[in-house]
């Protein structure tokens, strides 16, 4: 993704290293190599590349990861603001 | 689809390997956004090539374009294809919604009697399905182990040949020029309704003048404003995706405003004399605002933006976009009253 970087210091990704068992699933599923295994423990190595898809948290068997995953489309977010609900692609009937 | 393959768990329909002209026409139609929610494959188990008990089971979504690309890449592979009911939505978006998810996998594995069909207990999932699937829960729920395959279907043969090992490159999402370009038609066609209403509004406002409202003024001033609006849309929805890595700024709204300003400056250079000072100023304000808005909407289609980031840039830039548009509109209307 050379040349393509989004905003810094904004993502909600959290890792509770004490819970980690070092299975490496989070590093496998991350599409942006945000997580890596170091000394058999997961570590966040590229936090600002995180897109908050939630794959790591969903696949962590010990719930060591948390992230506020969601839809990153502007009109969905506005729809969410207006209706007070979570943003969803469904507002336009397509995604 | 052609014929069926007899198996201990019943006849399994077979998928053809190559794509036909009709398939390609359908894909082109989808890229322009026509009938995208009805482009589906019946969920269930399919055979690709001549799969046997030891052949891999690949899990996918029932968007027809997804299944088509998969069978094209698997032309030389024998495999089982387990197609989930994602309501015709691609893997990534369906995973985000949860329809490409743990429960649906367990349901399909059971319904298709997969355990009677294959000797192993492994499912290969596309990596981009991971946001909707908990691998450890699939194992608990149906006894099948989940292995996440590569991001792109094109890497599947190499992944399978390497004993289901993905290289780091296979695990990474890209956003190349081609990948960005293919998304622009649907960005435009998704906007036709707003474009129609916007044009109508500009025609109505264009008619306002010293004689309250005249059709002559509407037809004279309206189309020019509509052209400016369309230029803003093209700057935000086409120029920004194409020039994405090279436009300044991290925020999409900033990239859009820059592209819009460049187009607006070209416009005032070419037509400045005819437009006059006030309309030129309105153009320089409105076009970047429209382009910023359209560019911001492209975040939902990219592969590297986070929802928290999009929300932040919206909170920061939406007030500026609205203010610029309001100022442009005020200038434009005021211009009609001046000699």
């Amino acid at each position: 993704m050379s040349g393509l970087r989004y905003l810094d210091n904004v993502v909600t990704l959290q890792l509770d290293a004490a819970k980690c068992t070092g299975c490496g699933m989070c590093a496998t599923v991350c599409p942006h190599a945000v997580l890596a295994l170091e000394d058999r423990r997961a570590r966040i190595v590229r936090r600002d590349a995180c897109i908050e898809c939630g794959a790591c948290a969903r696949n962590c068997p010990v719930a060591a990861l948390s992230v506020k995953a969601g839809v990153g489309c502007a009109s969905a977010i506005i729809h969410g603001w207006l209706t007070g609900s979570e943003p969803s692609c469904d507002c336009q009937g397509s995604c | 689809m052609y014929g069926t393959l007899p198996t201990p768990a019943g006849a399994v329909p077979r998928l053809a390997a190559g794509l036909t002209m009709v398939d390609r026409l359908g894909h082109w139609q989808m890229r322009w956004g026509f009938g995208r929610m009805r482009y589906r494959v019946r969920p269930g188990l399919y055979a690709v090539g001549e799969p046997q008990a030891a052949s891999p089971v690949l899990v996918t979504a029932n968007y027809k374009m997804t299944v088509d690309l998969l069978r094209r890449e698997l032309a030389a592979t024998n495999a089982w294809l387990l197609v989930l009911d994602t309501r015709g939505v691609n893997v990534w978006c369906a995973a985000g919604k949860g329809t490409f998810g743990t429960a649906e996998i367990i349901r399909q594995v059971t319904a298709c009697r997969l355990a009677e069909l294959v000797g192993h207990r492994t499912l290969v999932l596309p990596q981009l399905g991971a946001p909707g699937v908990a691998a450890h829960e699939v194992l608990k729920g149906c006894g099948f182990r989940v292995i996440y395959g590569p991001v792109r279907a094109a890497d599947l043969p190499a992944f399978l040949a390497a004993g289901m090992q993905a290289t780091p490159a296979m695990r990474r999402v890209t956003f190349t020029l081609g990948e960005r370009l293919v998304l622009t038609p649907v960005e435009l066609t998704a906007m036709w309704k707003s474009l129609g209403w916007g044009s109508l509004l500009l025609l109505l406002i264009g008619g306002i003048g010293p004689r309250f409202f005249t059709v002559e003024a509407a037809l004279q001033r309206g189309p020019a404003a509509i052209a400016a609006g369309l230029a803003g849309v093209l700057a935000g929805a086409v120029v920004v995706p194409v020039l994405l890595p090279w436009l300044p700024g991290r925020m999409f709204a900033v990239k859009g405003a820059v592209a819009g300003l460049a187009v607006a400056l070209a416009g005032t250079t070419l037509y400045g004399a005819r437009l006059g000072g006030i309309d030129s100023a309105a153009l320089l304000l409105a076009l970047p605002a429209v382009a910023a808005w359209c560019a911001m909407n492209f975040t939902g289609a990219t592969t590297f933006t986070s929802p928290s980031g999009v929300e932040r840039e919206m909170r920061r830039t939406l007030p500026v976009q609205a203010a610029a548009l309001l100022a442009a509109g005020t200038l434009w209307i005021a211009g009609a009253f001046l000699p």
Side-chain angles (χ1 to χ4, degrees):
Chain A
M1 299 290 289
S2 55
L4 293 175
R5 285 180 62 191
Y6 200 43
L7 312 185
D8 290 338
N9 304 318
V10 68
V11 295
T12 53
L13 179 67
Q14 297 290 341
L15 167 65
D16 183 349
K19 282 189 189 169
C20 177
T21 58
C23 75
M25 205 57 166
C26 55
T28 299
V29 295
C30 179
H32 286 288
V34 170
L35 294 135
L37 277 194
E38 286 177 6
D39 298 326
R40 285 190 284 166
R41 285 280 184 280
R43 211 166 77 80
I44 299 173
V45 290
R46 281 163 36 92
R47 165 176 293 277
D48 290 330
C50 174
I51 60 171
E52 300 180 314
C53 70
C56 56
R58 179 64 58 103
N59 282 275
C60 178
V62 293
L65 284 150
S66 71
V67 60
K68 189 175 168 288
V71 177
C73 135
S75 40
I77 290 176
I78 290 184
H79 190 259
W81 285 348
L82 295 179
T83 60
S85 58
E86 281 297 303
S88 151
C89 300
D90 292 336
C91 55
Q92 297 169 326
S94 62
C95 173
Chain B
M1 202 192 296
Y2 67 103
T4 56
L5 190 74
T7 73
V12 174
R14 300 175 65 176
L15 289 174
L19 300 188
T20 63
M21 275 305 290
V22 176
D23 293 331
R24 285 177 218 282
L25 193 70
H27 297 178
W28 183 83
Q29 204 182 316
M30 292 312 112
R31 292 303 188 187
W32 285 92
F34 302 120
R36 242 174 1 142
M37 299 315 288
R38 297 185 300 275
Y39 202 58
R40 304 175 181 197
V41 169
R42 185 195 295 268
L45 190 70
Y46 293 87
V48 176
E50 303 278 346
Q52 290 160 348
S55 300
V57 179
L58 311 176
V59 182
T60 192
N62 77 323
Y63 182 34
K64 187 177 176 298
M65 177 130 59
T66 305
V67 175
D68 280 356
L69 297 181
L70 202 49
R71 61 193 178 85
R72 184 187 72 189
E73 300 302 337
L74 295 173
T77 309
N78 297 320
W80 304 101
L81 216 60
L82 190 66
V83 179
L84 304 185
D85 185 1
T86 60
R87 290 159 217 169
V89 172
N90 69 71
V91 170
W92 173 254
C93 289
K97 287 186 216 287
T99 48
F100 189 101
T102 310
E104 171 64 3
I105 292 177
I106 296 171
R107 194 179 75 83
Q108 289 290 352
V109 165
T110 313
C112 299
R113 295 158 63 194
L114 197 62
E116 297 171 41
L117 213 96
V118 293
H120 59 80
R121 290 292 176 268
T122 301
L123 301 171
V124 177
L125 265 64
Q127 188 187 324
L128 292 189
V133 181
H136 51 284
E137 285 170 19
V138 172
L139 180 65
K140 242 185 269 168
C142 64
F144 276 77
R145 191 165 67 103
V146 166
I147 290 188
Y148 286 106
V151 165
R152 284 163 294 273
D155 289 327
L156 263 173
F159 167 82
L160 294 173
M164 297 196 184
Q165 291 289 321
T167 64
M170 289 182 193
R171 295 242 168 269
R172 296 290 293 276
V173 166
T174 55
F175 205 38
T176 60
L177 179 61
E179 287 167 340
R180 301 197 297 274
L181 262 180
V182 83
L183 298 172
T184 54
V186 82
E187 287 289 312
L188 294 176
T189 50
M191 271 190 277
W192 70 269
K193 237 185 214 167
S194 343
L195 289 180
W197 287 113
S199 300
L200 190 67
L201 188 69
L202 288 175
L203 278 175
L204 289 176
I205 298 176
I208 300 173
R211 285 157 58 209
F212 187 58
F213 181 90
T214 59
V215 176
E216 292 77 38
L219 291 179
Q220 194 209 333
R221 286 159 52 79
I226 292 169
L230 284 177
V233 168
L234 289 177
V238 180
V239 176
V240 169
V242 170
L243 299 181
L244 199 61
W246 304 287
L247 284 168
R250 294 275 185 88
M251 293 193 191
F252 280 58
V254 173
K255 289 174 185 286
V258 170
L261 190 64
V263 174
L265 283 171
T268 51
T269 309
L270 288 171
Y271 304 110
R274 219 187 320 159
L275 283 173
I278 291 184
D279 280 2
S280 292
L283 182 72
L284 287 170
L285 282 167
L287 213 150
V290 171
W293 165 256
C294 293
M296 212 172 58
N297 269 290
F298 187 62
T299 53
T302 71
T303 61
F304 67 103
T305 54
S306 60
S308 298
V310 176
E311 192 158 348
R312 178 193 277 178
E313 85 161 86
M314 286 175 67
R315 285 187 193 284
R316 290 196 181 165
T317 65
L318 264 178
V320 185
Q321 293 172 34
L325 217 52
L326 199 68
T330 310
L331 281 173
W332 187 47
I333 295 172
F337 291 89
L338 295 175

